[in-house]
Amino acid sequence: MTALFDIVYHMRASRDRLSATEQKIADAILEDIAFAASASIDQLAVKAAVSIATISRFAKAVGCEDIRDLKLKLAQASAVGTRFLAEVPAVEESAFYTQICSDVESTLRANLARFVEEDFRAAAGLLNSARLIYIGGMGGGSTMLADEVQFRIARLGKAVTAYHDPVLLRMLAATLTEQDVLVLLSVTGVTPEMLEVADIAREYGAQIIVLTSKSSPLASKANIVLPVVTEETDFIYKPSASRYGMLLAIDILATELALARKTESKELLRRVKFALDEYRGGDNRLPLGD
């Protein structure tokens, strides 16, 4: 894997030490990175009103080997999308409250429309018959939600544990058998470590359930895919609403599992409520350990 080199950061960080002419090039590039990445050297020189030789010197000044390397790094920077490079329109003080709520609602409805009941029932069936269940999630959202899956399933009397360390997940995947289930969470489905863990688990016959994008590489490695979709907005400052789509899938899966073992689930949930009420008190409608 090549070392990370963020050309946008380096241009901004080094601007004050650049010559006045080189600053003109930096400003021209930062004004429209997509154009700079696709433009010819002549076009870029015209836009910045400098010579081609000056652009060559500029490339070295910002840490690139040459103009070709500069263009390559600009193309990589442009690939992240204009919503992270362009100026974001001003938002009223409280307007984003409504926008966040609206994005959550849209995400929930978009995901619900794509869910297939039979897939959730089949996934619950695998969990119900599993000897043990491992949950894997990495990253800001999937780490938290992997723990959530553990919490939902554990109170139904199943042996389940969540892990987030990629090396530990590799080790555990190698211990699985045909009687075990591995549940992997990944909104994108492209995280290399997750793909490798799935391959190891498949090698030893484990059943794999994934909550991910249906068209992702991770989805192709699963026995059952519970699809998660998200459409990110241009308002980049708020957390991704994809978490709510994943959480909806988790809630449906946990409920299907509870209903698949209805009598046992009812008794176990009664015990949980009894133990909590004895410990904390409160009325009958307090959450069941949530």
Side-chain angles (χ1 to χ4, degrees), residues 100-110:
I100 289 175
C101 184
S102 177
D103 288 347
V104 171
E105 291 176 350
S106 297
T107 297
L108 291 174
R109 294 185 185 281

Side-chain angles (χ1 to χ4, degrees), residues 47-69:
K47 179 177 175 63
V50 299
S51 67
I52 294 176
T54 304
I55 294 180
S56 181
R57 291 193 297 272
F58 170 81
K60 294 182 181 297
V62 294
C64 298
E65 295 179 4
D66 48 32
I67 294 177
R68 181 179 179 182
D69 187 36

Side-chain angles (χ1 to χ4, degrees), residues 64-86:
C64 298
E65 295 179 4
D66 48 32
I67 294 177
R68 181 179 179 182
D69 187 36
L70 172 65
K71 296 268 292 172
L72 175 62
K73 288 180 170 58
L74 288 174
Q76 292 170 337
S78 177
V80 305
T82 56
R83 64 195 183 102
F84 292 98
L85 297 170

Side-chain angles (χ1 to χ4, degrees), residues 78-100:
S78 177
V80 305
T82 56
R83 64 195 183 102
F84 292 98
L85 297 170
E87 288 296 323
V88 178
V91 178
E92 292 183 18
E93 180 86 17
S94 61
F96 70 87
Y97 289 31
T98 302
Q99 182 175 346
I100 289 175

Side-chain angles (χ1 to χ4, degrees), residues 197-227:
V197 167
D199 284 336
I200 294 170
R202 278 163 53 96
E203 173 70 16
Y204 295 104
Q207 301 295 310
I208 303 175
I209 301 169
V210 299
L211 283 71
T212 190
S213 169
K214 194 170 186 177
S215 60
S216 69
L218 184 60
S220 67
K221 300 178 183 295
N223 297 95
I224 299 175
V225 179
L226 304 179

